[in-house]
Each structure stands twice: as C-alpha cells, then as structure tokens.
Amino acid sequence: METSTRKLDIVGICGSLRAGSLNAMALRLAGESMPPDMRLEVIDWSQVPAFNADVLERAGPPAEVRRIRERIARCDGVVIATPEYNFSLPGMLKNLIDWLSRGADQPFARKPLAILSAATGPLGGARVQYDLRRVLLFVDATVLIKPEVFIGHAQSKFDGQGRCTDDATRQFVTAQMLSLERLILQGRLLEQG
Ligand code: FNR
C-alpha cells in the first residue's frame, strides 16, 4: 500500500479582518489543536475587491482572487472561523466566496471544510453557521457536520496574547479537527475506490 509522509495541507480563512479578531484567535487554536499530520496556513484575503460581474466578464477574476482560488484548489481541507454580523455572514466573507465561486474550476467542490465561530455574545455565532452552510452548499463544499463549535463570550476565553485559556473550548476544537482529519481521509479512500 502506498503511504505518504506529506502533511495534510489545511487553509484557514478568518471571516474578520480586524487585527485583534477573536476568530483569528479561534483559527490559531484550530491550528494548535490539529492532529500531527495536519498543518494550517491562514491566508490573507484582505485585498480582495468588491465583487463586480462586469469586471469578471471584461477581465476575468482579479489576481488576488486567482491566487486564493489556486491556493484553495490545491489544499486538502479548509477551516473557516467567522464572526456573526447582524445574525448572518460578514459581507466581506460572502464577497470572497462570491468571487471564488465564479468559474468552471470550482475550488470548494468536494473540499472537506470545518466551520467555527467566535462571538462576544452567548450564542457564539450560532446563526451565522447555518447561513454559511447554506452558501457552501451552492459551491459543493463537503462541510463537516459535527462536532459544531460555537465560542460564546469569546473575549473571556483568550488571553492578551490570543491564546485560549478555556479547556472546554480547546477540547471542542481538538475534537472538531480530529473529525476534519477523518473526513479528509475518508474522502481519499472513496476516491481510490
Ligand atoms: C457584531 N457582533 C455580533 N455578535 C453576535 O453574536 N451576533 C450578531 O449578530 C452580531 N452582529 C454584529 C455586527 C457587527 C457589524 C459587528 C462589528 C459585530 C459582535 C461580534 O460577535 C464581536 O464584535 C466579535 O468580536 C467579532 O468577531 P472578531 O472580529 O473578534 O473576530
């Protein structure tokens, strides 16, 4: 049987662009909590412009969008950590997915993907996750069903250096990353027939 020592390459997308983002901290926790055969790279998508179908039609996707499309297309899995804005997705994150979704070579198609959300409120972004799942249905992503991770009162669960101080949160995220690893490996077995 063929074995590979290459680590599973996981792309991290933070739905918040602010420097002190709690979701960026949650993404970092996800990276720390992964099994040893997984490696997380959080991508910078802050320069993606507002979607405009005229631009797409005239000139194709902007270079930033092409770069991110290619990065996602070649990774083994994706983790999105996002805040909830007004009970739904941050507009910028939806804008990013809208850009990435255009074109025949859909980068999210059959891509194993896990969602986390961190919020200052008690529900931890429960509502954004279901809206995000609905959007990701359209792009054919293979979204991990459970365990779900909602980090409520997130400001009390990370220290000044952005490290998680809450054992329960750490355990939930560790379990989710283990499940993402399983989803990726199961998908590979299916592909091999
Ligand atoms: C919020 N916040 C918020 N929280 C929540 O639980 N449900 C919501 O609907 C909203 N709506 C909302 C809208 C906007 C425009 C902002 C800026 C914030 C609060 C949110 O949870 C908090 O600001 C988080 O800290 C945002 O995540 P980051 O930036 O820390 O990752």
Side-chain angles (χ1 to χ4, degrees):
M1 197 174 105
E2 194 183 320
T3 55
S4 166
T5 52
R6 186 179 74 80
K7 292 205 175 207
L8 296 176
D9 172 31
I10 311 299
V11 164
I13 298 174
C14 181
S16 171
L17 294 176
R18 75 184 186 96
S21 164
L22 293 163
N23 284 278
M25 296 174 197
L27 209 45
R28 173 177 160 179
L29 174 62
E32 290 169 6
S33 309
M34 285 175 171
D37 66 332
M38 291 168 93
R39 188 187 143 274
L40 179 75
E41 187 196 350
V42 179
I43 58 166
D44 177 2
W45 56 273
S46 58
Q47 301 308 309
V48 170
F51 180 79
N52 183 330
D54 288 340
V55 172
L56 183 65
E57 206 172 294
R58 281 190 212 117
E64 260 311 80
V65 174
R66 281 205 312 274
R67 177 183 70 79
I68 297 168
R69 274 184 129 249
E70 284 159 18
R71 182 68 188 91
I72 293 174
R74 69 168 193 274
C75 77
D76 297 302
V78 176
V79 177
I80 299 180
T82 184
E84 176 174 286
Y85 282 178
N86 302 313
F87 289 5
S88 189
L89 273 74
M92 289 287 284
L93 177 61
K94 178 65 164 52
N95 180 68
L96 172 67
I97 297 171
D98 290 342
W99 268 120
L100 297 174
S101 70
R102 295 287 92 187
D105 52 341
Q106 175 56 254
F108 282 114
R110 293 174 304 285
K111 194 69 71 180
L113 188 151
I115 300 171
L116 301 92
S117 56
T120 47
L123 297 184
R127 290 157 295 221
V128 63
Q129 292 210 11
Y130 296 106
D131 277 5
L132 181 56
R133 281 176 188 273
R134 192 156 49 91
V135 171
L136 291 169
L137 268 178
F138 182 83
V139 296
D140 285 327
T142 304
V143 183
L144 182 72
I145 298 171
K146 286 187 200 159
E148 298 177 302
V149 177
F150 308 104
I151 308 176
H153 299 305
Q155 69 281 16
S156 68
K157 291 175 180 162
F158 295 90
D159 66 16
Q161 277 72 51
R163 291 210 170 77
C164 181
T165 52
D166 184 64
D167 281 346
T169 301
R170 203 170 269 282
Q171 281 166 22
F172 276 120
V173 174
T174 301
Q176 192 190 44
M177 291 305 111
L178 194 60
S179 296
L180 178 63
E181 179 200 36
R182 281 203 202 107
L183 186 67
I184 295 169
L185 298 178
Q186 276 165 7
R188 282 192 176 174
L189 284 176
L190 285 173
E191 271 171 27
Q192 286 165 10

